[in-house]
Amino acid sequence: MIPVLSKAVNETNIKVQYQMLNVLFDVAKTVAMRVNSERDLFSLVTRIIKSFLSADFSKSTLLSDLMHLISSILDNVEIVAGGICEVLHERFAQFTMIHLRLVLHMLCDHLRSHYAGVETNEVGSEIRERLFSALLSIICDPYTGQLVKTGESEVLNTHIVRAGYDTEGEFKWSEICEVTTLALEKELWLVDLLLKFPVLRVILHHLCRVLEFRGFVFTAGEMRVRQLKDAVIRLHYKFHGVLDVERTPWGVGRNDLLCENDSDVKRIMQIGEEKQKRNDIDLAKYLCPVLSRLINYYRDENICKIMVDSIPSVPAGCQQVWRRFTFYL
């Protein structure tokens, strides 16, 4: 079966390819997992699925073959992404570190490919939403350090424990932290001139929960966590219209924000006051809870300033932020 299905990525008939994918995911959801085996059936199936997310189109010699191949893969890549997220949740309790590392690396690697270009757009935005929702739903038990997958129900994995001096585990949040930071820096897909930002909204919503687990977060390393914090702060200045001064309080130059290729940011300056106010409220609603967690990590005056400035935007939602802020002062 595996030799036949391994050619699924090259199948130009979309319906046949779809059926092959269904078989692969059925196997991935039901096959037994061997402990610490890199060549069990689950790992082999996962590597076949990975080929859809990292296909090399350059091997096609004819333009017609190339276009057919690209079309067939793009039509099913969202199905692949959704299927992987389902497998991650349904099989999470049985994963060994090898299996989890394989799946997470596949998802993170695909997300990197989305941000490899100059800017992101609507194409692939739903895939990015689903992948970040899956990646950032992984947390840990605060007492045992065992990994937990949140969702409609919480799933505990007793085999995998976070790394740290107080545990004997080996899981590190580093790769997820890295790709999340990358998204905060490069995600520019905005619906209706910044009134909606679906991918960033998903990231901020889940990041708020993840940041409650300090020991888990710092398995990514001090440098990566600091880069994540900087990306969150930069996000505020990038999308809150601090564009009419030569230098923002965060130290980001006007030219940095209004670079030649940053067309979405340039459009901010053309938004009416009413739309900008609605955007401030929407962004503050998701950004404030993240900042209220980060203030427990760093006493950064930029975080304090953003929280104070955000309070008028969401009168009810940011009251908790204000209480945290005044406590740390």
Side-chain angles (χ1 to χ4, degrees), residues 194-195 197 200 204 235-240 278-289 310 314:
L194 292 182
L195 295 183
F197 37 95
L200 290 174
L204 293 173
L235 181 68
H236 168 81
Y237 289 115
K238 192 170 188 178
F239 293 128
H240 257 70
R278 289 166 58 192
N279 173 58
D280 290 345
I281 293 174
D282 201 22
L283 182 61
K285 182 171 63 176
Y286 292 97
L287 193 60
C288 284
S310 298
V314 189

PDB file of all heavy atoms in Angstrom, residues 194-195 197 200 204 235-240 278-289 310 314:
ATOM      1  N   LEU A 194      -7.616  46.436   7.476  1.00  0.00           N
ATOM      2  CA  LEU A 194      -7.231  46.293   8.882  1.00  0.00           C
ATOM      3  C   LEU A 194      -8.383  46.149   9.862  1.00  0.00           C
ATOM      4  O   LEU A 194      -8.157  46.105  11.060  1.00  0.00           O
ATOM      5  CB  LEU A 194      -6.362  47.479   9.335  1.00  0.00           C
ATOM      6  CG  LEU A 194      -4.983  47.582   8.712  1.00  0.00           C
ATOM      7  CD1 LEU A 194      -4.257  48.773   9.303  1.00  0.00           C
ATOM      8  CD2 LEU A 194      -4.180  46.338   8.917  1.00  0.00           C
ATOM      9  N   LEU A 195      -9.633  46.119   9.373  1.00  0.00           N
ATOM     10  CA  LEU A 195     -10.718  45.927  10.325  1.00  0.00           C
ATOM     11  C   LEU A 195     -10.731  44.490  10.840  1.00  0.00           C
ATOM     12  O   LEU A 195     -11.252  44.214  11.902  1.00  0.00           O
ATOM     13  CB  LEU A 195     -12.062  46.268   9.673  1.00  0.00           C
ATOM     14  CG  LEU A 195     -12.234  47.739   9.285  1.00  0.00           C
ATOM     15  CD1 LEU A 195     -13.621  47.965   8.728  1.00  0.00           C
ATOM     16  CD2 LEU A 195     -11.993  48.643  10.477  1.00  0.00           C
ATOM     17  N   PHE A 197      -8.069  40.916  11.050  1.00  0.00           N
ATOM     18  CA  PHE A 197      -6.741  40.343  10.813  1.00  0.00           C
ATOM     19  C   PHE A 197      -6.794  38.907  11.320  1.00  0.00           C
ATOM     20  O   PHE A 197      -6.334  38.598  12.413  1.00  0.00           O
ATOM     21  CB  PHE A 197      -5.641  41.154  11.505  1.00  0.00           C
ATOM     22  CG  PHE A 197      -6.032  41.703  12.844  1.00  0.00           C
ATOM     23  CD1 PHE A 197      -5.716  41.024  14.005  1.00  0.00           C
ATOM     24  CD2 PHE A 197      -6.736  42.891  12.942  1.00  0.00           C
ATOM     25  CE1 PHE A 197      -6.076  41.513  15.241  1.00  0.00           C
ATOM     26  CE2 PHE A 197      -7.100  43.388  14.178  1.00  0.00           C
ATOM     27  CZ  PHE A 197      -6.774  42.701  15.333  1.00  0.00           C
ATOM     28  N   LEU A 200      -3.482  36.837  12.616  1.00  0.00           N
ATOM     29  CA  LEU A 200      -2.932  37.447  13.829  1.00  0.00           C
ATOM     30  C   LEU A 200      -3.883  37.292  15.006  1.00  0.00           C
ATOM     31  O   LEU A 200      -3.451  37.106  16.146  1.00  0.00           O
ATOM     32  CB  LEU A 200      -2.638  38.929  13.579  1.00  0.00           C
ATOM     33  CG  LEU A 200      -1.479  39.231  12.631  1.00  0.00           C
ATOM     34  CD1 LEU A 200      -1.396  40.722  12.350  1.00  0.00           C
ATOM     35  CD2 LEU A 200      -0.165  38.717  13.198  1.00  0.00           C
ATOM     36  N   LEU A 204      -2.722  35.642  18.533  1.00  0.00           N
ATOM     37  CA  LEU A 204      -2.792  36.373  19.799  1.00  0.00           C
ATOM     38  C   LEU A 204      -3.738  35.689  20.783  1.00  0.00           C
ATOM     39  O   LEU A 204      -3.466  35.638  21.988  1.00  0.00           O
ATOM     40  CB  LEU A 204      -3.238  37.813  19.541  1.00  0.00           C
ATOM     41  CG  LEU A 204      -2.244  38.686  18.764  1.00  0.00           C
ATOM     42  CD1 LEU A 204      -2.874  40.035  18.434  1.00  0.00           C
ATOM     43  CD2 LEU A 204      -0.952  38.876  19.544  1.00  0.00           C
ATOM     44  N   LEU A 235       4.355  44.823  16.686  1.00  0.00           N
ATOM     45  CA  LEU A 235       3.046  44.659  16.058  1.00  0.00           C
ATOM     46  C   LEU A 235       2.125  45.816  16.418  1.00  0.00           C
ATOM     47  O   LEU A 235       1.377  46.322  15.576  1.00  0.00           O
ATOM     48  CB  LEU A 235       2.427  43.330  16.516  1.00  0.00           C
ATOM     49  CG  LEU A 235       1.062  42.967  15.937  1.00  0.00           C
ATOM     50  CD1 LEU A 235       1.180  42.673  14.451  1.00  0.00           C
ATOM     51  CD2 LEU A 235       0.485  41.754  16.665  1.00  0.00           C
ATOM     52  N   HIS A 236       2.177  46.241  17.661  1.00  0.00           N
ATOM     53  CA  HIS A 236       1.337  47.364  18.094  1.00  0.00           C
ATOM     54  C   HIS A 236       1.657  48.618  17.293  1.00  0.00           C
ATOM     55  O   HIS A 236       0.761  49.273  16.752  1.00  0.00           O
ATOM     56  CB  HIS A 236       1.556  47.631  19.581  1.00  0.00           C
ATOM     57  CG  HIS A 236       0.959  48.926  20.048  1.00  0.00           C
ATOM     58  ND1 HIS A 236      -0.379  49.059  20.347  1.00  0.00           N
ATOM     59  CD2 HIS A 236       1.519  50.149  20.237  1.00  0.00           C
ATOM     60  CE1 HIS A 236      -0.618  50.310  20.707  1.00  0.00           C
ATOM     61  NE2 HIS A 236       0.511  50.988  20.656  1.00  0.00           N
ATOM     62  N   TYR A 237       2.928  48.961  17.193  1.00  0.00           N
ATOM     63  CA  TYR A 237       3.305  50.184  16.488  1.00  0.00           C
ATOM     64  C   TYR A 237       3.111  50.062  14.982  1.00  0.00           C
ATOM     65  O   TYR A 237       2.867  51.053  14.299  1.00  0.00           O
ATOM     66  CB  TYR A 237       4.756  50.543  16.812  1.00  0.00           C
ATOM     67  CG  TYR A 237       4.927  51.024  18.229  1.00  0.00           C
ATOM     68  CD1 TYR A 237       5.677  50.295  19.143  1.00  0.00           C
ATOM     69  CD2 TYR A 237       4.309  52.190  18.660  1.00  0.00           C
ATOM     70  CE1 TYR A 237       5.817  50.724  20.451  1.00  0.00           C
ATOM     71  CE2 TYR A 237       4.437  52.627  19.959  1.00  0.00           C
ATOM     72  CZ  TYR A 237       5.193  51.894  20.858  1.00  0.00           C
ATOM     73  OH  TYR A 237       5.316  52.321  22.150  1.00  0.00           O
ATOM     74  N   LYS A 238       3.191  48.852  14.489  1.00  0.00           N
ATOM     75  CA  LYS A 238       3.044  48.660  13.049  1.00  0.00           C
ATOM     76  C   LYS A 238       1.609  48.871  12.597  1.00  0.00           C
ATOM     77  O   LYS A 238       1.351  49.414  11.525  1.00  0.00           O
ATOM     78  CB  LYS A 238       3.501  47.248  12.672  1.00  0.00           C
ATOM     79  CG  LYS A 238       3.670  47.031  11.176  1.00  0.00           C
ATOM     80  CD  LYS A 238       4.349  45.701  10.916  1.00  0.00           C
ATOM     81  CE  LYS A 238       4.701  45.553   9.445  1.00  0.00           C
ATOM     82  NZ  LYS A 238       5.412  44.291   9.167  1.00  0.00           N
ATOM     83  N   PHE A 239       0.651  48.442  13.414  1.00  0.00           N
ATOM     84  CA  PHE A 239      -0.742  48.491  13.006  1.00  0.00           C
ATOM     85  C   PHE A 239      -1.581  49.495  13.793  1.00  0.00           C
ATOM     86  O   PHE A 239      -2.791  49.507  13.670  1.00  0.00           O
ATOM     87  CB  PHE A 239      -1.372  47.103  13.129  1.00  0.00           C
ATOM     88  CG  PHE A 239      -0.797  46.121  12.160  1.00  0.00           C
ATOM     89  CD1 PHE A 239      -0.315  44.900  12.588  1.00  0.00           C
ATOM     90  CD2 PHE A 239      -0.726  46.422  10.816  1.00  0.00           C
ATOM     91  CE1 PHE A 239       0.224  43.993  11.697  1.00  0.00           C
ATOM     92  CE2 PHE A 239      -0.195  45.528   9.914  1.00  0.00           C
ATOM     93  CZ  PHE A 239       0.281  44.312  10.352  1.00  0.00           C
ATOM     94  N   HIS A 240      -0.960  50.313  14.606  1.00  0.00           N
ATOM     95  CA  HIS A 240      -1.720  51.306  15.353  1.00  0.00           C
ATOM     96  C   HIS A 240      -1.493  52.717  14.848  1.00  0.00           C
ATOM     97  O   HIS A 240      -1.810  53.677  15.537  1.00  0.00           O
ATOM     98  CB  HIS A 240      -1.388  51.226  16.847  1.00  0.00           C
ATOM     99  CG  HIS A 240      -2.463  50.536  17.629  1.00  0.00           C
ATOM    100  ND1 HIS A 240      -2.707  49.196  17.515  1.00  0.00           N
ATOM    101  CD2 HIS A 240      -3.375  51.003  18.513  1.00  0.00           C
ATOM    102  CE1 HIS A 240      -3.708  48.867  18.314  1.00  0.00           C
ATOM    103  NE2 HIS A 240      -4.129  49.940  18.922  1.00  0.00           N
ATOM    104  N   ARG A 278     -12.196  51.738  15.109  1.00  0.00           N
ATOM    105  CA  ARG A 278     -12.709  50.376  15.211  1.00  0.00           C
ATOM    106  C   ARG A 278     -11.572  49.371  15.175  1.00  0.00           C
ATOM    107  O   ARG A 278     -11.597  48.356  15.873  1.00  0.00           O
ATOM    108  CB  ARG A 278     -13.689  50.109  14.070  1.00  0.00           C
ATOM    109  CG  ARG A 278     -15.006  50.858  14.215  1.00  0.00           C
ATOM    110  CD  ARG A 278     -15.789  50.825  12.929  1.00  0.00           C
ATOM    111  NE  ARG A 278     -16.057  49.461  12.497  1.00  0.00           N
ATOM    112  CZ  ARG A 278     -16.524  49.158  11.288  1.00  0.00           C
ATOM    113  NH1 ARG A 278     -16.752  50.119  10.410  1.00  0.00           N
ATOM    114  NH2 ARG A 278     -16.749  47.902  10.967  1.00  0.00           N
ATOM    115  N   ASN A 279     -10.556  49.644  14.386  1.00  0.00           N
ATOM    116  CA  ASN A 279      -9.401  48.755  14.322  1.00  0.00           C
ATOM    117  C   ASN A 279      -8.636  48.754  15.636  1.00  0.00           C
ATOM    118  O   ASN A 279      -8.183  47.714  16.110  1.00  0.00           O
ATOM    119  CB  ASN A 279      -8.478  49.200  13.185  1.00  0.00           C
ATOM    120  CG  ASN A 279      -7.173  48.424  13.180  1.00  0.00           C
ATOM    121  OD1 ASN A 279      -7.183  47.216  13.087  1.00  0.00           O
ATOM    122  ND2 ASN A 279      -6.070  49.132  13.304  1.00  0.00           N
ATOM    123  N   ASP A 280      -8.475  49.944  16.241  1.00  0.00           N
ATOM    124  CA  ASP A 280      -7.786  50.035  17.527  1.00  0.00           C
ATOM    125  C   ASP A 280      -8.474  49.169  18.572  1.00  0.00           C
ATOM    126  O   ASP A 280      -7.832  48.476  19.357  1.00  0.00           O
ATOM    127  CB  ASP A 280      -7.759  51.488  18.009  1.00  0.00           C
ATOM    128  CG  ASP A 280      -6.828  52.353  17.167  1.00  0.00           C
ATOM    129  OD1 ASP A 280      -6.018  51.771  16.424  1.00  0.00           O
ATOM    130  OD2 ASP A 280      -6.930  53.582  17.244  1.00  0.00           O
ATOM    131  N   ILE A 281      -9.808  49.216  18.573  1.00  0.00           N
ATOM    132  CA  ILE A 281     -10.567  48.431  19.539  1.00  0.00           C
ATOM    133  C   ILE A 281     -10.362  46.944  19.299  1.00  0.00           C
ATOM    134  O   ILE A 281     -10.140  46.169  20.228  1.00  0.00           O
ATOM    135  CB  ILE A 281     -12.064  48.795  19.458  1.00  0.00           C
ATOM    136  CG1 ILE A 281     -12.273  50.238  19.936  1.00  0.00           C
ATOM    137  CG2 ILE A 281     -12.904  47.834  20.280  1.00  0.00           C
ATOM    138  CD1 ILE A 281     -13.691  50.742  19.761  1.00  0.00           C
ATOM    139  N   ASP A 282     -10.429  46.531  18.026  1.00  0.00           N
ATOM    140  CA  ASP A 282     -10.303  45.111  17.704  1.00  0.00           C
ATOM    141  C   ASP A 282      -8.915  44.588  18.042  1.00  0.00           C
ATOM    142  O   ASP A 282      -8.768  43.515  18.634  1.00  0.00           O
ATOM    143  CB  ASP A 282     -10.597  44.905  16.213  1.00  0.00           C
ATOM    144  CG  ASP A 282     -10.987  43.466  15.909  1.00  0.00           C
ATOM    145  OD1 ASP A 282     -11.418  42.771  16.845  1.00  0.00           O
ATOM    146  OD2 ASP A 282     -10.859  43.043  14.754  1.00  0.00           O
ATOM    147  N   LEU A 283      -7.871  45.339  17.691  1.00  0.00           N
ATOM    148  CA  LEU A 283      -6.516  44.890  17.970  1.00  0.00           C
ATOM    149  C   LEU A 283      -6.234  44.883  19.467  1.00  0.00           C
ATOM    150  O   LEU A 283      -5.646  43.942  19.997  1.00  0.00           O
ATOM    151  CB  LEU A 283      -5.507  45.785  17.250  1.00  0.00           C
ATOM    152  CG  LEU A 283      -4.036  45.382  17.418  1.00  0.00           C
ATOM    153  CD1 LEU A 283      -3.804  43.981  16.864  1.00  0.00           C
ATOM    154  CD2 LEU A 283      -3.123  46.374  16.717  1.00  0.00           C
ATOM    155  N   ALA A 284      -6.668  45.935  20.164  1.00  0.00           N
ATOM    156  CA  ALA A 284      -6.422  46.012  21.605  1.00  0.00           C
ATOM    157  C   ALA A 284      -7.074  44.857  22.346  1.00  0.00           C
ATOM    158  O   ALA A 284      -6.545  44.356  23.334  1.00  0.00           O
ATOM    159  CB  ALA A 284      -6.937  47.343  22.147  1.00  0.00           C
ATOM    160  N   LYS A 285      -8.228  44.416  21.844  1.00  0.00           N
ATOM    161  CA  LYS A 285      -8.956  43.325  22.491  1.00  0.00           C
ATOM    162  C   LYS A 285      -8.128  42.046  22.539  1.00  0.00           C
ATOM    163  O   LYS A 285      -8.228  41.265  23.487  1.00  0.00           O
ATOM    164  CB  LYS A 285     -10.270  43.086  21.746  1.00  0.00           C
ATOM    165  CG  LYS A 285     -11.137  41.994  22.350  1.00  0.00           C
ATOM    166  CD  LYS A 285     -12.512  41.974  21.693  1.00  0.00           C
ATOM    167  CE  LYS A 285     -12.419  41.636  20.225  1.00  0.00           C
ATOM    168  NZ  LYS A 285     -13.760  41.530  19.586  1.00  0.00           N
ATOM    169  N   TYR A 286      -7.306  41.827  21.517  1.00  0.00           N
ATOM    170  CA  TYR A 286      -6.482  40.620  21.466  1.00  0.00           C
ATOM    171  C   TYR A 286      -5.056  40.862  21.945  1.00  0.00           C
ATOM    172  O   TYR A 286      -4.400  39.946  22.443  1.00  0.00           O
ATOM    173  CB  TYR A 286      -6.452  40.069  20.034  1.00  0.00           C
ATOM    174  CG  TYR A 286      -7.784  39.538  19.577  1.00  0.00           C
ATOM    175  CD1 TYR A 286      -8.641  40.319  18.807  1.00  0.00           C
ATOM    176  CD2 TYR A 286      -8.206  38.265  19.943  1.00  0.00           C
ATOM    177  CE1 TYR A 286      -9.878  39.840  18.405  1.00  0.00           C
ATOM    178  CE2 TYR A 286      -9.442  37.779  19.547  1.00  0.00           C
ATOM    179  CZ  TYR A 286     -10.271  38.570  18.778  1.00  0.00           C
ATOM    180  OH  TYR A 286     -11.506  38.095  18.387  1.00  0.00           O
ATOM    181  N   LEU A 287      -4.577  42.090  21.794  1.00  0.00           N
ATOM    182  CA  LEU A 287      -3.197  42.386  22.155  1.00  0.00           C
ATOM    183  C   LEU A 287      -3.025  42.598  23.660  1.00  0.00           C
ATOM    184  O   LEU A 287      -2.023  42.175  24.243  1.00  0.00           O
ATOM    185  CB  LEU A 287      -2.725  43.628  21.395  1.00  0.00           C
ATOM    186  CG  LEU A 287      -1.225  43.912  21.393  1.00  0.00           C
ATOM    187  CD1 LEU A 287      -0.463  42.751  20.769  1.00  0.00           C
ATOM    188  CD2 LEU A 287      -0.934  45.198  20.621  1.00  0.00           C
ATOM    189  N   CYS A 288      -4.005  43.230  24.291  1.00  0.00           N
ATOM    190  CA  CYS A 288      -3.887  43.540  25.718  1.00  0.00           C
ATOM    191  C   CYS A 288      -3.687  42.302  26.599  1.00  0.00           C
ATOM    192  O   CYS A 288      -2.824  42.313  27.482  1.00  0.00           O
ATOM    193  CB  CYS A 288      -5.110  44.327  26.185  1.00  0.00           C
ATOM    194  SG  CYS A 288      -5.093  46.053  25.669  1.00  0.00           S
ATOM    195  N   PRO A 289      -4.456  41.229  26.414  1.00  0.00           N
ATOM    196  CA  PRO A 289      -4.229  40.048  27.256  1.00  0.00           C
ATOM    197  C   PRO A 289      -2.833  39.456  27.094  1.00  0.00           C
ATOM    198  O   PRO A 289      -2.256  38.952  28.059  1.00  0.00           O
ATOM    199  CB  PRO A 289      -5.309  39.066  26.773  1.00  0.00           C
ATOM    200  CG  PRO A 289      -6.381  39.934  26.204  1.00  0.00           C
ATOM    201  CD  PRO A 289      -5.655  41.070  25.561  1.00  0.00           C
ATOM    202  N   SER A 310      -3.764  51.665  25.434  1.00  0.00           N
ATOM    203  CA  SER A 310      -4.833  50.802  24.931  1.00  0.00           C
ATOM    204  C   SER A 310      -6.079  50.837  25.796  1.00  0.00           C
ATOM    205  O   SER A 310      -7.151  50.422  25.352  1.00  0.00           O
ATOM    206  CB  SER A 310      -4.342  49.349  24.837  1.00  0.00           C
ATOM    207  OG  SER A 310      -3.274  49.234  23.925  1.00  0.00           O
ATOM    208  N   VAL A 314     -10.573  49.857  24.680  1.00  0.00           N
ATOM    209  CA  VAL A 314     -11.517  48.835  25.122  1.00  0.00           C
ATOM    210  C   VAL A 314     -11.801  49.065  26.597  1.00  0.00           C
ATOM    211  O   VAL A 314     -11.144  48.504  27.460  1.00  0.00           O
ATOM    212  CB  VAL A 314     -10.946  47.415  24.904  1.00  0.00           C
ATOM    213  CG1 VAL A 314     -12.021  46.377  25.168  1.00  0.00           C
ATOM    214  CG2 VAL A 314     -10.410  47.267  23.495  1.00  0.00           C
TER     215      VAL A 314
END
